Amino acid sequence: MKRLMCFISYFGLSFILMSANATQLIYTPVNPNFGGNPLNGNYLMANASAQNDHNSRNGSGYVPPTALERLSSSLESRLMTQLFNDAANGGEGYLKTDDFEITVINVDGSLSVNIVDVVTGETTAIEVGGLTDGGS
């Protein structure tokens, strides 16, 4: 019995000593972008690269447009803007590019836009009403 009492008192004393040394848990971020140690950056990047299973032929896969492609895109955008402005003022118009044929018709303030995809042959029709001014 004396041995049991000694064991219980020893266990109780050790529990009290351990609880006296207990501290609050504090979260420390690992990622340097969120306040972690900057020395973790290379380690995290190496792990991310090792887990990346995305395969692309030339890095990111992005190929910047050539100067001719940028000029063509800019010109197409400008022509479409002019086409819609003319149609809003009562005119009609037609624009054909490598990919699309666009026909715009304004009938009594109702704008009708017909878009044909040259490659697939798909057609989209858009109608917008209310282009006329109520006071005119």
Side-chain angles (χ1 to χ4, degrees), residues 9-97:
S9 64
Y10 176 72
F11 180 72
L13 182 62
S14 63
F15 181 74
I16 290 172
L17 289 176
M18 284 185 357
S19 64
N21 290 333
T23 60
Q24 198 174 33
L25 293 176
I26 299 173
Y27 170 72
T28 305
V30 175
N31 191 331
N33 291 331
F34 302 110
N37 187 343
L39 298 176
N40 291 338
N42 289 336
Y43 170 76
L44 293 172
M45 189 62 181
N47 278 342
S49 296
Q51 295 174 20
N52 184 9
D53 60 355
H54 177 73
N55 295 325
S56 64
R57 286 178 262 151
N58 57 354
S60 70
Y62 173 73
V63 177
T66 64
L68 183 60
E69 290 171 336
R70 287 194 317 266
L71 177 64
S72 176
S73 176
S74 178
L75 184 58
E76 285 179 11
S77 177
R78 177 68 180 114
L79 288 172
M80 282 191 278
T81 301
Q82 185 63 42
L83 179 68
F84 290 119
N85 284 337
D86 290 346
N89 293 328
E92 298 180 357
Y94 173 80
L95 176 66
K96 182 175 181 179
T97 66

Side-chain angles (χ1 to χ4, degrees), residues 99-103 112-126:
D99 300 317
F100 300 104
E101 289 181 11
I102 303 171
T103 306
S112 176
V113 181
N114 190 25
I115 304 169
V116 178
D117 187 339
V118 175
V119 177
T120 63
E122 292 182 56
T123 302
T124 303
I126 303 171

